[in-house]
Amino acid sequence: MITFSAFGRSIGRRCAGNSKPYFSQLFTPESNLRSPNSSLWQYQNLRTLLLQSESECVKLHKLSDSDSGIVEVNLDRPGVKNAIGKDMLRGLQSSFEAISGDPTANVLMICSSVPRVFCAGADLKERKIMSSAEVQAYVNSLRSTFLYLEELDIPTVAVIEGAALGGGLEMALSCDLRICGEDAVLGLPETGLAIMPGAGGTQRLPRLVGKSVAKELIFTGRKVGGREAVSIGLVNHCVPHGEAHLKALEIARNINQKAPLAIRMAKRAINKGLEADRVSALALEEECYERLLNTKDRLEGLAAFAEKRKPKYTGE
């Protein structure tokens, strides 16, 4: 049986110095995968084995009826406050790949099935028995997984009730939107353990709250509550305890009513545009806009407006 640690070491090496998620590195031309002796063939089969291994810690749920198009990923590891161990990481990877390949998915919500906790971060008990090389491979895989989440072409929403710490907050930072309850506790406490945020926290947090505030939170490991989190721009909305899912679902339903292709192009223009200079970013906006001009949905939107009715978008 292939162990996850061996797979982790292999993907860790492949991810080193590469900004793309390791998932994308495994999609290669068919001609390169024909030989069972080729490393590419072996990687592809490792990936298949990984995706076939279901995790009990992560549950993928597609909403139905009027909410068709909204997908939920539920974290469910109550004994350790949803700490991200190898099995949960495998479940997250599998779920995100499934969503990426589902053309009917329009919005993703990441939720917790465990009361009063979103995700406590990495599984430190599991981490304690890892070698340094295994820890590095695990963190590389975690970073790649969150980058893959960030680069999904549909909107993503983190639904935070209770603790979102370390890797748990880094996962939330990888989402487009964050909704929290008043009792939420958010922080990156890694420096207190003689390490630092390694799954994107040092890059995504300052882009949200500013360099100075991010440095204070990371250097001190200070945790913030829901009200402070919304005041510094760390989350989009802070609602009474127990109502974060309702608020997130309200936003997801609003997004789900819009034209899917328009949402995808808007997300691409924003995310990629922020990485470019102003002129290049405006050119990207023009390109994304042009890709919507000949869609059936654009014609449907105009027709619905003229006929004073709700549009029925199909994503075409």
Side-chain angles (χ1 to χ4, degrees):
M1 180 177 179
I2 299 169
T3 63
F4 183 88
S5 60
F7 182 71
R9 284 193 293 272
S10 70
I11 60 177
R13 288 192 295 268
R14 287 175 68 79
C15 288
N18 194 323
S19 63
K20 292 295 183 182
Y22 77 85
F23 302 90
S24 63
Q25 305 304 307
L26 299 169
F27 293 107
T28 56
E30 183 179 354
S31 59
N32 293 333
L33 295 171
R34 290 174 181 167
S35 171
N37 296 321
S38 73
S39 60
L40 293 173
W41 186 91
Q42 293 169 8
Y43 281 129
Q44 181 65 43
N45 280 272
L46 283 170
R47 172 179 172 272
T48 300
L49 287 173
L50 180 67
L51 295 181
Q52 288 175 344
S53 303
E54 293 189 7
S55 168
E56 296 182 356
C57 305
V58 181
K59 296 179 173 63
L60 184 60
H61 174 57
K62 297 177 68 173
L63 278 60
S64 57
D65 299 326
S66 61
D67 288 331
S68 179
I70 301 175
V71 183
E72 288 188 356
V73 167
N74 282 283
L75 312 179
D76 189 14
R77 201 179 177 210
V80 290
K81 300 181 179 179
N82 286 339
I84 306 174
K86 296 175 183 177
D87 186 54
M88 177 173 278
L89 179 56
R90 181 169 59 246
L92 290 171
Q93 293 166 345
S94 178
S95 296
F96 296 156
E97 278 209 348
I99 292 166
S100 177
D102 184 355
T104 67
N106 295 330
V107 190
L108 167 62
M109 295 168 55
I110 301 181
C111 317
S112 169
S113 299
V114 182
R116 307 189 74 85
V117 65
F118 176 70
C119 177
D123 187 335
L124 297 183
K125 289 184 179 179
E126 195 175 84
R127 179 81 62 89
K128 189 176 180 180
I129 61 175
M130 291 182 183
S131 67
S132 296
E134 288 173 327
V135 171
Q136 182 177 5
Y138 169 84
V139 174
N140 286 345
S141 181
L142 192 65
R143 185 185 308 113
S144 297
T145 301
F146 292 166
L147 181 56
Y148 190 90
L149 167 62
E150 183 178 49
E151 293 190 344
L152 287 175
D153 60 3
I154 64 173
T156 55
V157 186
V159 185
I160 304 169
E161 294 278 10
L165 302 174
L169 179 55
E170 288 180 301
M171 176 161 52
L173 291 172
S174 304
C175 293
D176 297 306
L177 307 174
R178 285 152 296 281
I179 314 299
C180 77
E182 289 178 330
D183 68 336
V185 179
L186 304 94
L188 296 173
E190 286 87 346
T191 52
L193 297 171
I195 53 174
M196 58 174 273
T202 64
Q203 303 308 306
R204 295 188 179 99
L205 185 62
R207 284 167 167 78
L208 277 178
V209 304
K211 182 170 65 174
S212 182
V213 173
K215 284 181 176 179
E216 178 198 344
L217 294 179
I218 292 174
F219 293 169
T220 66
R222 183 170 71 86
K223 303 175 182 66
V224 301
R227 291 186 180 276
E228 183 178 359
V230 76
S231 72
I232 63 176
L234 180 53
V235 302
N236 297 82
H237 299 277
C238 176
V239 296
H241 166 64
E243 297 183 13
H245 186 272
L246 288 175
K247 181 63 178 178
L249 186 57
E250 173 192 332
I251 293 173
R253 284 169 171 164
N254 195 338
I255 295 171
N256 198 36
Q257 293 174 2
K258 306 302 186 291
L261 294 178
I263 295 294
R264 286 167 168 75
M265 287 298 101
K267 177 171 177 174
R268 174 177 171 79
I270 294 169
N271 284 1
K272 299 302 181 183
L274 287 173
E275 299 172 0
D277 61 84
R278 184 72 59 86
V279 173
S280 299
L282 289 172
L284 174 63
E285 180 185 72
E286 178 183 359
E287 174 193 326
C288 291
Y289 191 95
E290 287 179 352
R291 292 178 65 176
L292 298 171
L293 289 177
N294 296 315
T295 62
K296 293 180 181 178
D297 278 351
R298 188 181 77 87
L299 299 178
E300 166 63 13
L302 292 173
F305 179 81
E307 297 165 14
K308 298 182 179 179
R309 60 172 174 82
K310 280 190 173 184
K312 297 179 180 179
Y313 295 123
T314 61
E316 299 178 275

